Structure formats: structure tokens, C-alpha cells
Amino acid sequence: METSLRYAGDSKALRIRAKEKFPVSTNSICQLQGELDTKLGAPTFLNGMIRYYHPTIPASLGAGVQYNRRDKVHYHARSKATFPVTADGLFNFNVKGRCNIDEELKKIDYSATTELVWSIFNVKKDQDLRIKLGYDLIDKIPYMQVRENNWTLNVDVNRRWDVRVILSSLEQIRI
């Protein structure tokens, strides 16, 4: 199970998120996620999704159901395709799409992004780095992500930001 601690500038609360992936078949997984807001003391996000990975091309497709505090229950589908820019696969161009549909199947919300992703291994001993420059095609917002082994910083041009620290298991949290 992957567990992460998340903090965003607009929320003022620490969130604890857990994610688990269960194999369904050779190219498919069932992914379950949940998030607890420490300020509210209640879950704010629950997600179940089946994801399919194409065996010959770097692409995936997923469909599932999600609950969040704001929109309540809705259904979603998402896809991602990766196109290598360099032969070693360390510099890629990603295209992502997502569609959310409310529980009455009336309101549809789309998102689409493009990203340039540069993975740098062994910046220092046992330290990997990933730099992602992206553009949200619907909202027309550029963003950036810097990820180093277990932490991630996300920022966009609207001054929104969040920080994530990934823990390999809850056993690492000792107070």
C-alpha cells in the first residue's frame, strides 16, 4: 500500500491518502484510493478504478467510480499515452484525458493535458529526479511538477501549489 501525506496552500489541512493496486489480469489492475482530511476528521475522497495497460504501446485506459466531498458520487474514465522523445525513454511526451460524469449521467466535465517529462536517475547516489512541464488544454493553465524519490512539489501559474510526501507504509509513521 502506498501512503502519502499531502498539504496544499489553499486547504490549510494535512491530508492522508492511501492507494492500493490489485492485479486483475496480465494487463489490468483494480486501483483503490482513499483520503482522510485531518481538519475534518472524515474521508474526503474515495476512488475505485479498473485500469488497463496496452501490452505493446505505452498507453493505459481506466474507468471507475469516485466519491469526493464537493461533487459526491460520479463516474470517470481516463486515458494516458506516452511518446518517447529520446531513444533511452528518459524524456517523454505524455497526453492525458479524463471525463467525469455525475451520478445522474447529466453533467459531464472534461480535462486534457499535455506534458514533457524528464527523468534523471542517480542525480546523487540513490536519488532520482523527475521534472514535468505540463499544460491543461481545457483551463489553459501551465503547471510544473518536481519529484524526488519520495516527495513531490506541484505548482501552476495561478499560484496554486501542493506538496506530497510518499511513505512506503503506515508503519513508518511514528509519533
Side-chain angles (χ1 to χ4, degrees), residues 4-175:
S4 62
L5 303 176
R6 297 171 177 223
Y7 184 78
D10 58 353
S11 70
K12 306 299 185 215
L14 182 67
R15 296 169 295 146
I16 302 169
R17 185 175 285 208
K19 175 170 58 173
E20 186 66 65
K21 296 176 182 178
F22 302 97
V24 175
S25 69
T26 307
N27 299 323
S28 300
I29 62 166
C30 174
Q31 180 176 303
L32 302 175
Q33 297 180 72
E35 181 178 272
L36 176 71
D37 186 312
T38 59
K39 184 176 180 180
L40 299 173
T44 55
F45 172 84
L46 299 168
N47 181 38
M49 174 186 289
I50 300 292
R51 295 180 70 182
Y52 172 76
Y53 297 91
H54 196 279
T56 58
I57 59 172
S60 67
L61 180 64
V65 63
Q66 181 172 307
Y67 163 84
N68 68 41
R69 232 180 73 220
R70 184 175 33 94
D71 300 325
K72 303 300 178 203
V73 174
H74 65 273
Y75 308 99
H76 60 254
R78 67 187 232 181
S79 63
K80 175 182 175 183
T82 301
F83 303 96
V85 176
T86 58
D88 60 8
L90 297 178
F91 191 60
N92 296 309
F93 177 71
N94 293 342
V95 178
K96 296 179 183 179
R98 185 179 192 113
C99 176
N100 294 322
I101 305 167
D102 69 355
E103 62 184 317
E104 289 90 28
L105 305 176
K106 293 180 181 175
K107 181 183 175 192
I108 300 174
D109 179 36
Y110 300 97
S111 69
T113 60
T114 59
E115 300 172 334
L116 287 172
V117 182
W118 183 26
S119 299
I120 309 165
F121 295 114
N122 292 317
V123 173
K124 291 185 178 179
K125 187 177 183 327
D126 297 327
Q127 182 185 32
D128 299 332
L129 187 65
R130 183 177 67 198
I131 300 169
K132 186 184 293 186
L133 298 174
Y135 186 74
D136 185 320
L137 299 168
I138 305 298
D139 295 331
K140 297 179 176 39
I141 299 172
Y143 61 90
M144 183 176 85
Q145 179 185 83
V146 178
R147 181 173 184 165
E148 182 272 341
N149 293 8
N150 293 329
W151 67 266
T152 304
L153 171 67
N154 294 299
V155 296
D156 70 21
V157 296
N158 290 338
R159 296 188 208 166
R160 288 183 301 199
W161 61 271
D162 69 62
V163 176
R164 302 171 184 180
V165 177
I166 300 169
L167 309 170
S168 54
S169 72
L170 282 175
E171 296 168 5
Q172 290 183 331
I173 302 174
R174 300 221 193 324
I175 298 176

